Amino acid sequence: MTGDPARQERLRELNLGLVFREVLAADAPLSRTELAAATGLTRPTITRIVEELLAGRLVTETGTNPDGRAGRPRVGLTLSRTGPAGLGLDIRSDGLAACVVDLAGRVRHLAFAPLTDTDAPAVLERLGRMAAEAVTAAAAEDLTVVTATLAVPGPVDGGIVRTAPALGWRDVPAADLLDAALSGLGLATAVDSEANLAARGELHATGADRALTHFVYVSGGLDIGAGLVMDGRLMRGARGWGGELGHVTVDPEGKPCRCGSRGCLQTYASLPALLGGEVVPAGASPESVILGRADAGRPETLAALDAAASALGVALANVCNLLGVDTVFLGGSFALLDSWLSAGVQAELSQRVLFADWAPVTVRPATIGPDAAAIGAALAVVDRVSADPSAWLAANR
Ligand SMILES: [Zn+2]
Protein backbone atom coordinates (compact mmCIF):
# COMPACT_ATOMS: atom_id res chain seq x y z
CA MET A 1 0.00 0.00 0.00
CA THR A 2 1.37 3.36 -0.91
CA GLY A 3 0.60 6.67 0.69
CA ASP A 4 0.94 8.52 -2.61
CA PRO A 5 -1.81 11.21 -2.39
CA ALA A 6 -2.41 11.34 -6.18
CA ARG A 7 -2.90 7.60 -6.25
CA GLN A 8 -5.22 7.73 -3.24
CA GLU A 9 -7.26 10.44 -4.90
CA ARG A 10 -7.52 8.44 -8.13
CA LEU A 11 -8.66 5.38 -6.18
CA ARG A 12 -11.29 7.48 -4.38
CA GLU A 13 -12.62 8.74 -7.75
CA LEU A 14 -12.77 5.23 -9.20
CA ASN A 15 -14.65 3.87 -6.18
CA LEU A 16 -17.05 6.80 -6.22
CA GLY A 17 -17.80 6.17 -9.90
CA LEU A 18 -18.33 2.48 -9.18
CA VAL A 19 -20.88 3.18 -6.43
CA PHE A 20 -22.71 5.85 -8.41
CA ARG A 21 -23.08 3.60 -11.46
CA GLU A 22 -24.55 0.84 -9.26
CA VAL A 23 -27.27 3.26 -8.11
CA LEU A 24 -27.75 4.45 -11.70
CA ALA A 25 -28.25 0.94 -13.07
CA ALA A 26 -30.52 -0.32 -10.27
CA ASP A 27 -34.26 -0.70 -10.80
CA ALA A 28 -34.98 -0.10 -7.10
CA PRO A 29 -33.33 1.81 -4.22
CA LEU A 30 -30.17 0.10 -2.89
CA SER A 31 -29.16 -0.10 0.75
CA ARG A 32 -25.59 0.60 1.84
CA THR A 33 -25.21 -3.12 2.57
CA GLU A 34 -26.33 -3.99 -0.97
CA LEU A 35 -23.90 -1.42 -2.40
CA ALA A 36 -21.04 -2.95 -0.39
CA ALA A 37 -21.94 -6.41 -1.66
CA ALA A 38 -22.29 -5.23 -5.29
CA THR A 39 -19.00 -3.32 -5.39
CA GLY A 40 -16.83 -5.37 -3.02
CA LEU A 41 -15.97 -2.20 -1.10
CA THR A 42 -15.87 -2.09 2.70
CA ARG A 43 -18.78 -0.66 4.70
CA PRO A 44 -16.75 2.38 5.94
CA THR A 45 -15.72 3.17 2.35
CA ILE A 46 -19.35 2.90 1.18
CA THR A 47 -20.50 5.14 4.04
CA ARG A 48 -17.94 7.81 3.13
CA ILE A 49 -18.76 7.69 -0.61
CA VAL A 50 -22.50 7.81 0.01
CA GLU A 51 -22.02 10.92 2.16
CA GLU A 52 -20.22 12.57 -0.75
CA LEU A 53 -22.91 11.54 -3.26
CA LEU A 54 -25.66 12.83 -0.94
CA ALA A 55 -23.88 16.16 -0.37
CA GLY A 56 -23.38 16.56 -4.14
CA ARG A 57 -27.11 15.94 -4.87
CA LEU A 58 -26.34 12.92 -7.06
CA VAL A 59 -28.29 10.47 -4.90
CA THR A 60 -30.98 10.77 -2.28
CA GLU A 61 -32.20 8.60 0.57
CA THR A 62 -35.61 7.02 0.45
CA GLY A 63 -37.39 5.04 3.12
CA THR A 64 -39.06 1.90 1.83
CA ASN A 65 -40.92 -0.83 3.62
CA PRO A 66 -40.80 -3.93 1.46
CA ASP A 67 -44.10 -5.78 1.14
CA GLY A 68 -45.83 -2.99 3.05
CA ARG A 69 -44.52 -4.30 6.38
CA ALA A 70 -44.71 -2.04 9.38
CA GLY A 71 -41.70 -1.01 11.44
CA ARG A 72 -38.56 0.98 10.83
CA PRO A 73 -38.24 1.66 7.10
CA ARG A 74 -35.26 0.28 5.24
CA VAL A 75 -33.20 3.20 3.91
CA GLY A 76 -32.37 2.93 0.23
CA LEU A 77 -30.35 5.13 -2.08
CA THR A 78 -31.73 6.27 -5.39
CA LEU A 79 -31.02 8.94 -7.99
CA SER A 80 -31.67 12.48 -6.84
CA ARG A 81 -34.54 14.57 -8.18
CA THR A 82 -32.22 17.58 -7.84
CA GLY A 83 -28.64 18.14 -8.98
CA PRO A 84 -27.41 17.71 -12.55
CA ALA A 85 -29.84 17.85 -15.47
CA GLY A 86 -29.63 17.63 -19.23
CA LEU A 87 -31.21 19.84 -21.89
CA GLY A 88 -32.39 18.38 -25.19
CA LEU A 89 -33.24 20.63 -28.13
CA ASP A 90 -34.99 19.22 -31.17
CA ILE A 91 -35.75 20.71 -34.58
CA ARG A 92 -38.86 18.88 -35.78
CA SER A 93 -40.89 19.28 -38.92
CA ASP A 94 -43.70 20.85 -36.87
CA GLY A 95 -41.68 22.96 -34.45
CA LEU A 96 -38.91 23.34 -31.91
CA ALA A 97 -38.80 21.42 -28.63
CA ALA A 98 -36.77 21.97 -25.46
CA CYS A 99 -36.72 19.29 -22.81
CA VAL A 100 -34.98 18.96 -19.42
CA VAL A 101 -34.44 15.57 -17.79
CA ASP A 102 -32.92 14.69 -14.43
CA LEU A 103 -30.40 11.90 -13.78
CA ALA A 104 -33.16 9.28 -13.74
CA GLY A 105 -34.31 10.42 -17.18
CA ARG A 106 -37.55 11.89 -15.83
CA VAL A 107 -38.85 14.76 -17.98
CA ARG A 108 -38.92 17.83 -15.74
CA HIS A 109 -39.56 20.56 -18.31
CA LEU A 110 -40.90 20.44 -21.86
CA ALA A 111 -41.57 23.44 -24.09
CA PHE A 112 -42.58 23.71 -27.71
CA ALA A 113 -42.55 26.54 -30.25
CA PRO A 114 -43.77 26.58 -33.84
CA LEU A 115 -41.13 26.62 -36.57
CA THR A 116 -41.73 29.81 -38.52
CA ASP A 117 -38.36 30.23 -40.24
CA THR A 118 -35.95 27.41 -41.20
CA ASP A 119 -32.99 29.76 -41.71
CA ALA A 120 -30.27 28.22 -39.51
CA PRO A 121 -29.19 31.34 -37.54
CA ALA A 122 -32.86 32.21 -36.85
CA VAL A 123 -33.63 28.66 -35.68
CA LEU A 124 -30.61 28.55 -33.39
CA GLU A 125 -31.35 32.02 -32.02
CA ARG A 126 -34.89 30.88 -31.10
CA LEU A 127 -33.51 27.68 -29.55
CA GLY A 128 -31.06 29.79 -27.54
CA ARG A 129 -33.99 31.65 -25.95
CA MET A 130 -35.83 28.38 -25.26
CA ALA A 131 -32.64 27.00 -23.68
CA ALA A 132 -32.30 29.99 -21.35
CA GLU A 133 -35.96 29.59 -20.28
CA ALA A 134 -35.43 25.87 -19.70
CA VAL A 135 -32.32 26.48 -17.56
CA THR A 136 -34.29 28.97 -15.44
CA ALA A 137 -37.24 26.57 -15.09
CA ALA A 138 -34.85 23.78 -14.06
CA ALA A 139 -33.12 26.00 -11.48
CA ALA A 140 -36.50 26.62 -9.83
CA GLU A 141 -36.57 22.86 -9.13
CA ASP A 142 -32.98 22.86 -7.81
CA LEU A 143 -31.72 21.27 -11.03
CA THR A 144 -28.48 22.44 -12.63
CA VAL A 145 -28.42 21.97 -16.40
CA VAL A 146 -24.93 20.82 -17.46
CA THR A 147 -25.38 19.46 -20.99
CA ALA A 148 -27.22 20.71 -24.07
CA THR A 149 -27.60 18.44 -27.08
CA LEU A 150 -29.30 19.43 -30.32
CA ALA A 151 -31.19 16.92 -32.48
CA VAL A 152 -31.29 17.69 -36.19
CA PRO A 153 -33.11 15.86 -39.00
CA GLY A 154 -29.99 14.74 -40.89
CA PRO A 155 -26.48 13.32 -40.55
CA VAL A 156 -23.94 15.30 -38.52
CA ASP A 157 -20.22 15.27 -39.30
CA GLY A 158 -18.01 16.85 -36.62
CA GLY A 159 -20.72 19.30 -35.59
CA ILE A 160 -21.64 20.18 -39.18
CA VAL A 161 -25.07 19.20 -40.49
CA ARG A 162 -24.14 17.89 -43.91
CA THR A 163 -27.66 17.62 -45.27
CA ALA A 164 -31.09 18.18 -43.74
CA PRO A 165 -33.51 18.53 -46.67
CA ALA A 166 -36.47 19.04 -44.34
CA LEU A 167 -34.86 22.35 -43.35
CA GLY A 168 -33.11 23.10 -46.63
CA TRP A 169 -29.78 22.86 -44.76
CA ARG A 170 -26.49 21.81 -46.31
CA ASP A 171 -23.09 22.06 -44.57
CA VAL A 172 -24.53 24.10 -41.70
CA PRO A 173 -22.02 24.54 -38.79
CA ALA A 174 -24.69 23.69 -36.21
CA ALA A 175 -22.27 23.07 -33.32
CA ASP A 176 -20.73 26.54 -33.69
CA LEU A 177 -24.16 28.16 -34.02
CA LEU A 178 -25.36 26.24 -30.93
CA ASP A 179 -22.34 27.38 -28.90
CA ALA A 180 -22.98 30.98 -29.93
CA ALA A 181 -26.70 30.75 -29.14
CA LEU A 182 -26.03 29.21 -25.72
CA SER A 183 -23.00 31.32 -24.80
CA GLY A 184 -23.12 32.40 -21.19
CA LEU A 185 -25.04 29.32 -20.04
CA GLY A 186 -21.82 27.31 -19.54
CA LEU A 187 -23.18 24.04 -20.92
CA ALA A 188 -21.34 21.14 -22.59
CA THR A 189 -22.89 21.08 -26.06
CA ALA A 190 -23.26 18.46 -28.79
CA VAL A 191 -25.20 17.95 -32.03
CA ASP A 192 -26.46 14.61 -33.32
CA SER A 193 -29.03 13.22 -35.72
CA GLU A 194 -32.67 12.97 -34.68
CA ALA A 195 -32.73 9.21 -35.36
CA ASN A 196 -29.66 8.51 -33.20
CA LEU A 197 -31.03 10.53 -30.31
CA ALA A 198 -34.53 9.05 -30.60
CA ALA A 199 -32.94 5.59 -30.43
CA ARG A 200 -31.07 6.74 -27.29
CA GLY A 201 -34.41 7.87 -25.81
CA GLU A 202 -36.01 4.55 -26.71
CA LEU A 203 -33.10 2.67 -25.12
CA HIS A 204 -33.75 4.51 -21.85
CA ALA A 205 -37.53 4.03 -22.07
CA THR A 206 -37.13 0.28 -22.53
CA GLY A 207 -34.22 0.09 -20.09
CA ALA A 208 -36.29 -1.93 -17.63
CA ASP A 209 -36.46 -4.61 -20.31
CA ARG A 210 -32.83 -5.68 -19.92
CA ALA A 211 -33.20 -8.36 -22.59
CA LEU A 212 -33.69 -5.65 -25.20
CA THR A 213 -30.11 -4.83 -26.13
CA HIS A 214 -30.15 -5.11 -29.94
CA PHE A 215 -32.62 -3.04 -31.90
CA VAL A 216 -33.01 -0.67 -34.80
CA TYR A 217 -35.14 2.44 -34.39
CA VAL A 218 -36.31 3.70 -37.75
CA SER A 219 -37.72 7.20 -37.90
CA GLY A 220 -40.06 8.17 -40.73
CA GLY A 221 -40.71 11.71 -41.92
CA LEU A 222 -39.64 13.96 -44.75
CA ASP A 223 -36.46 11.92 -44.48
CA ILE A 224 -35.92 8.44 -43.10
CA GLY A 225 -33.17 7.84 -40.55
CA ALA A 226 -32.32 5.00 -38.24
CA GLY A 227 -30.56 4.61 -34.91
CA LEU A 228 -28.87 1.30 -34.24
CA VAL A 229 -28.43 -0.07 -30.72
CA MET A 230 -26.05 -3.02 -30.31
CA ASP A 231 -25.14 -4.52 -26.93
CA GLY A 232 -27.15 -1.77 -25.26
CA ARG A 233 -25.10 0.99 -26.89
CA LEU A 234 -25.86 3.40 -29.70
CA MET A 235 -23.67 2.70 -32.75
CA ARG A 236 -22.88 5.78 -34.82
CA GLY A 237 -20.46 4.47 -37.44
CA ALA A 238 -17.04 5.84 -38.34
CA ARG A 239 -18.05 9.50 -38.64
CA GLY A 240 -21.44 9.37 -36.99
CA TRP A 241 -23.01 8.72 -40.38
CA GLY A 242 -24.43 5.28 -39.70
CA GLY A 243 -28.16 4.75 -39.87
CA GLU A 244 -28.89 6.31 -43.26
CA LEU A 245 -31.52 3.66 -43.89
CA GLY A 246 -33.41 6.05 -46.18
CA HIS A 247 -30.68 5.60 -48.79
CA VAL A 248 -30.45 1.83 -48.63
CA THR A 249 -31.26 0.52 -52.10
CA VAL A 250 -34.58 -1.32 -52.38
CA ASP A 251 -34.67 -1.46 -56.21
CA PRO A 252 -31.55 -0.66 -58.29
CA GLU A 253 -33.83 0.25 -61.22
CA GLY A 254 -36.22 2.32 -59.09
CA LYS A 255 -37.07 6.00 -59.14
CA PRO A 256 -34.22 8.52 -58.92
CA CYS A 257 -33.45 9.73 -55.40
CA ARG A 258 -32.17 13.23 -54.66
CA CYS A 259 -28.95 11.61 -53.32
CA GLY A 260 -28.04 10.67 -56.90
CA SER A 261 -28.85 6.98 -56.53
CA ARG A 262 -31.98 5.10 -57.59
CA GLY A 263 -34.67 3.15 -55.77
CA CYS A 264 -33.65 4.24 -52.25
CA LEU A 265 -36.07 3.43 -49.40
CA GLN A 266 -36.66 7.18 -49.27
CA THR A 267 -38.40 7.09 -52.68
CA TYR A 268 -41.02 4.66 -51.28
CA ALA A 269 -41.56 5.43 -47.63
CA SER A 270 -40.81 9.12 -46.95
CA LEU A 271 -43.77 11.44 -46.36
CA PRO A 272 -43.49 13.00 -49.85
CA ALA A 273 -43.61 9.50 -51.38
CA LEU A 274 -46.68 8.59 -49.32
CA LEU A 275 -48.42 11.89 -50.09
CA GLY A 276 -47.86 11.39 -53.82
CA GLY A 277 -48.09 15.10 -54.57
CA GLU A 278 -51.12 15.71 -52.33
CA VAL A 279 -50.95 19.19 -50.80
CA VAL A 280 -51.09 19.33 -47.00
CA PRO A 281 -53.57 22.03 -45.87
CA ALA A 282 -52.30 24.68 -43.46
CA GLY A 283 -52.64 23.52 -39.87
CA ALA A 284 -52.80 19.81 -40.80
CA SER A 285 -49.96 17.32 -40.51
CA PRO A 286 -48.86 15.18 -43.47
CA GLU A 287 -49.59 12.06 -41.42
CA SER A 288 -53.20 13.17 -40.74
CA VAL A 289 -53.73 13.71 -44.48
CA ILE A 290 -52.34 10.23 -45.28
CA LEU A 291 -54.41 8.60 -42.51
CA GLY A 292 -57.57 10.39 -43.69
CA ARG A 293 -57.07 9.21 -47.25
CA ALA A 294 -56.26 5.66 -46.14
CA ASP A 295 -59.33 5.49 -43.87
CA ALA A 296 -61.43 6.73 -46.82
CA GLY A 297 -60.07 3.81 -48.86
CA ARG A 298 -58.34 5.93 -51.52
CA PRO A 299 -56.65 3.29 -53.75
CA GLU A 300 -53.51 5.34 -54.55
CA THR A 301 -52.86 5.98 -50.84
CA LEU A 302 -53.44 2.33 -49.93
CA ALA A 303 -51.06 1.27 -52.73
CA ALA A 304 -48.46 3.80 -51.54
CA LEU A 305 -48.70 2.50 -47.96
CA ASP A 306 -48.35 -1.11 -49.17
CA ALA A 307 -45.30 -0.20 -51.25
CA ALA A 308 -43.81 1.73 -48.32
CA ALA A 309 -44.33 -1.16 -45.89
CA SER A 310 -42.82 -3.62 -48.34
CA ALA A 311 -39.79 -1.42 -49.09
CA LEU A 312 -39.27 -0.74 -45.37
CA GLY A 313 -39.46 -4.48 -44.64
CA VAL A 314 -36.92 -5.26 -47.38
CA ALA A 315 -34.47 -2.61 -46.11
CA LEU A 316 -34.89 -3.72 -42.49
CA ALA A 317 -34.47 -7.40 -43.42
CA ASN A 318 -31.00 -6.53 -44.74
CA VAL A 319 -30.16 -4.85 -41.43
CA CYS A 320 -31.45 -7.84 -39.42
CA ASN A 321 -29.61 -10.42 -41.55
CA LEU A 322 -26.35 -8.49 -41.37
CA LEU A 323 -26.37 -7.47 -37.71
CA GLY A 324 -28.60 -9.98 -35.95
CA VAL A 325 -30.94 -7.28 -34.66
CA ASP A 326 -34.18 -8.90 -33.48
CA THR A 327 -36.40 -5.90 -32.67
CA VAL A 328 -37.53 -3.01 -34.86
CA PHE A 329 -39.09 0.18 -33.47
CA LEU A 330 -41.16 2.23 -35.90
CA GLY A 331 -40.77 5.89 -34.89
CA GLY A 332 -41.57 9.36 -36.21
CA SER A 333 -44.26 9.28 -38.93
CA PHE A 334 -43.97 5.46 -39.05
CA ALA A 335 -45.30 5.31 -35.46
CA LEU A 336 -48.35 7.36 -36.47
CA LEU A 337 -48.93 5.19 -39.56
CA ASP A 338 -48.09 1.98 -37.69
CA SER A 339 -51.51 0.37 -38.15
CA TRP A 340 -51.11 0.63 -41.95
CA LEU A 341 -47.44 -0.41 -42.07
CA SER A 342 -46.49 -2.96 -39.42
CA ALA A 343 -48.19 -6.03 -40.99
CA GLY A 344 -46.48 -5.40 -44.34
CA VAL A 345 -43.11 -4.80 -42.65
CA GLN A 346 -43.55 -7.96 -40.57
CA ALA A 347 -44.43 -10.03 -43.66
CA GLU A 348 -41.21 -9.02 -45.45
CA LEU A 349 -39.11 -9.66 -42.33
CA SER A 350 -40.66 -13.11 -41.83
CA GLN A 351 -39.88 -14.02 -45.43
CA ARG A 352 -36.42 -12.51 -45.75
CA VAL A 353 -34.67 -12.79 -42.37
CA LEU A 354 -32.86 -16.11 -42.15
CA PHE A 355 -33.28 -16.56 -38.38
CA ALA A 356 -36.99 -15.55 -38.43
CA ASP A 357 -38.10 -19.23 -38.44
CA TRP A 358 -36.44 -19.67 -35.04
CA ALA A 359 -36.75 -16.16 -33.59
CA PRO A 360 -39.21 -13.86 -35.39
CA VAL A 361 -38.21 -10.21 -35.59
CA THR A 362 -40.47 -8.09 -33.36
CA VAL A 363 -41.92 -4.95 -34.94
CA ARG A 364 -43.16 -2.39 -32.40
CA PRO A 365 -44.33 1.21 -32.57
CA ALA A 366 -41.91 3.48 -30.68
CA THR A 367 -42.92 3.92 -27.06
CA ILE A 368 -42.05 7.59 -26.47
CA GLY A 369 -43.67 9.41 -29.38
CA PRO A 370 -42.71 12.76 -30.90
CA ASP A 371 -40.52 13.82 -27.95
CA ALA A 372 -38.16 10.82 -28.31
CA ALA A 373 -35.27 12.77 -29.85
CA ALA A 374 -35.56 15.69 -27.39
CA ILE A 375 -35.54 13.25 -24.46
CA GLY A 376 -32.67 11.22 -25.95
CA ALA A 377 -30.71 14.46 -26.45
CA ALA A 378 -31.32 15.52 -22.85
CA LEU A 379 -30.07 12.14 -21.60
CA ALA A 380 -26.49 13.19 -22.49
CA VAL A 381 -26.29 14.34 -18.86
CA VAL A 382 -26.50 10.73 -17.68
CA ASP A 383 -23.54 9.70 -19.86
CA ARG A 384 -21.51 12.72 -18.79
CA VAL A 385 -22.07 12.45 -15.04
CA SER A 386 -21.81 8.66 -14.88
CA ALA A 387 -18.48 8.77 -16.75
CA ASP A 388 -16.97 10.97 -14.02
CA PRO A 389 -19.22 11.81 -11.04
CA SER A 390 -16.17 13.19 -9.15
CA ALA A 391 -15.90 16.02 -11.68
CA TRP A 392 -19.49 17.09 -10.90
CA LEU A 393 -18.82 16.91 -7.15
CA ALA A 394 -15.58 18.91 -7.45
CA ALA A 395 -17.34 21.61 -9.50
CA ASN A 396 -20.31 21.83 -7.12
CA ARG A 397 -18.71 21.87 -3.69
ZN1 LIG B 1 -31.04 8.10 -51.87
Side-chain angles (χ1 to χ4, degrees), residues 260-335:
S261 182
R262 279 186 169 273
C264 296
L265 174 61
Q266 186 75 25
T267 65
Y268 295 88
S270 63
L271 285 175
L274 287 165
L275 283 165
E278 183 85 358
V279 176
V280 178
S285 70
E287 292 89 350
S288 68
V289 170
I290 294 163
L291 285 171
R293 288 164 59 100
D295 287 336
R298 295 278 289 270
E300 64 275 23
T301 300
L302 296 177
L305 283 164
D306 278 352
S310 175
L312 188 53
V314 168
L316 286 168
N318 290 335
V319 175
C320 294
N321 275 327
L322 187 64
L323 299 170
V325 168
D326 61 3
T327 302
V328 170
F329 284 101
L330 299 182
S333 64
F334 293 149

Side-chain angles (χ1 to χ4, degrees), residues 42-54:
T42 63
R43 228 356 241 272
T45 303
I46 290 289
T47 300
R48 187 173 46 73
I49 289 173
V50 166
E51 288 310 312
E52 274 196 79
L53 293 172
L54 285 168

Side-chain angles (χ1 to χ4, degrees), residues 246-247 257-261 264 266:
H247 299 284
C257 178
R258 61 173 162 70
C259 74
S261 182
C264 296
Q266 186 75 25

Side-chain angles (χ1 to χ4, degrees), residues 188-212:
T189 60
V191 183
D192 204 347
S193 75
E194 175 271 338
N196 275 345
L197 293 169
R200 175 73 179 86
E202 196 65 47
L203 179 64
H204 186 270
T206 55
D209 182 359
R210 300 277 179 227
L212 196 57

Side-chain angles (χ1 to χ4, degrees), residues 13 37 44 78 85 91 106 108 130 138 140 226 280 314 363 372 378 384 394 396:
E13 287 175 7
T78 188
I91 309 171
R106 292 171 288 231
R108 303 289 294 276
M130 292 175 78
V280 178
V314 168
V363 180
R384 185 176 179 87
N396 290 274

